[in-house]
Amino acid sequence: AQSVTQPDIHITVSEGASLELRCNYSYGATPYLFWYVQSPGQGLQLLLKYFSGDTLVQGIKGFEAEFKRSQSSFNLRKPSVHWSDAAEYFCAVGPLSGSARQLTFGSGTQLTVLP
Amino acid sequence: EAGVTQFPSHSVIEKGQTVTLRCDPISGHDNLYWYRRVMGKEIKFLLHFVKESKQDESGMPNNRFLAERTGGTYSTLKVQPAELEDSGVYFCASSQVGQNTEAFFGQGTRLTVV
């Protein structure tokens, strides 16, 4: 069965510092990989996704993620965090083929940004 | 273009009562999904509609939950009777049919059963 692990429940960084959120997955085939963000009072917003090709993917808001097949990881990074990045971040995997996008999510990482 | 809209944003009900959650997907999106997040845990898949048909309801926890999608437009998720463990945030998402399509999520309905 597929699963997603986000080992960090809560991370605190200072504004301007770099950020890395960890995600490890277990999946029986080559997966689609996603990072979503949920800001307070908002829905889940897609930050970036990986389907194939270049293993370093760029997303919105200056985020990027790197797919490492050998480590079953898809860590999210940002070189300089802004106060507005404070939110909860979810890693998710989905089936590679077909249009049915049944996603398996991790338990989320809450990011706090200090001024 | 309007996004995925969910009503209500919050609901507090007593154990044993009935609650109906509504989701309006993005116009033209045939795929509609319901997910649930119980406090502090991962977001879990509940079910998937393609138009008005249930494609996969393997994630529905029990028969107290009933989802419908009349006419392939909006969807409702009814919980009857509600139990304490049903508390959580219920998310709806929609997407177009096809490969590599993105699922757009609503803001969620926070359900509290007391």
Side-chain angles (χ1 to χ4, degrees), chain A:
Chain A
Q2 56 263 36
S3 66
V4 177
T5 301
Q6 293 181 247
D8 303 306
I9 298 172
H10 195 176
I11 283 183
T12 300
V13 299
S14 297
E15 190 168 18
S18 63
L19 172 70
E20 182 169 30
L21 303 183
R22 295 182 290 166
C23 172
N24 291 93
Y25 67 90
S26 173
Y27 204 79
T30 304
Y32 280 140
L33 293 159
F34 306 83
W35 274 99
Y36 283 86
V37 60
Q38 185 180 22
S39 299
Q42 304 296 314
L44 291 166
Q45 181 183 21
L46 181 67
L47 281 176
L48 47 78
K49 59 191 177 187
Y50 173 75
F51 293 140
S52 64
D54 192 346
T55 56
L56 184 64
V57 294
Q58 302 296 320
I60 62 171
K61 304 184 180 186
F63 285 91
E64 66 178 26
E66 185 171 13
F67 171 59
K68 292 186 177 179
R69 185 187 302 275
S70 62
Q71 298 177 19
S72 297
S73 69
F74 189 57
N75 294 348
L76 182 72
R77 300 194 294 249
K78 186 169 185 179
S80 178
V81 170
H82 189 262
W83 63 267
S84 60
D85 294 324
E88 191 159 20
Y89 292 79
F90 297 91
C91 181
V93 300
L96 182 63
S97 62
S99 62
R101 190 66 68 237
Q102 179 183 326
L103 300 175
T104 299
F105 285 86
S107 53
T109 297
Q110 182 70 48
L111 174 66
T112 298
V113 181
L114 300 177

Side-chain angles (χ1 to χ4, degrees), chain A residues 32 34 36 38 41-46 49 51 88 90 96-108, chain B residues 31 33 35 37 40-45 48 56 58 91 95-103 105-108:
Chain A
Y32 280 140
F34 306 83
Y36 283 86
Q38 185 180 22
Q42 304 296 314
L44 291 166
Q45 181 183 21
L46 181 67
K49 59 191 177 187
F51 293 140
E88 191 159 20
F90 297 91
L96 182 63
S97 62
S99 62
R101 190 66 68 237
Q102 179 183 326
L103 300 175
T104 299
F105 285 86
S107 53
Chain B
N31 286 317
Y33 309 85
Y35 290 82
R37 187 186 191 198
K41 300 206 171 177
E42 65 272 21
I43 301 168
K44 286 196 171 180
F45 168 81
H48 169 211
D56 180 353
S58 60
F91 291 100
S95 70
Q96 294 178 316
V97 172
Q99 295 281 357
N100 301 343
T101 57
E102 177 183 343
F105 282 78
Q107 83 281 12

Side-chain angles (χ1 to χ4, degrees), chain B residues 13-38:
Chain B
I13 62 171
E14 292 184 351
K15 176 182 172 182
Q17 289 186 322
T18 297
V19 63
T20 300
L21 313 181
R22 173 169 169 146
C23 169
D24 286 76
I26 293 173
S27 178
H29 283 193
D30 287 340
N31 286 317
L32 187 148
Y33 309 85
W34 283 98
Y35 290 82
R36 176 175 74 168
R37 187 186 191 198
V38 173

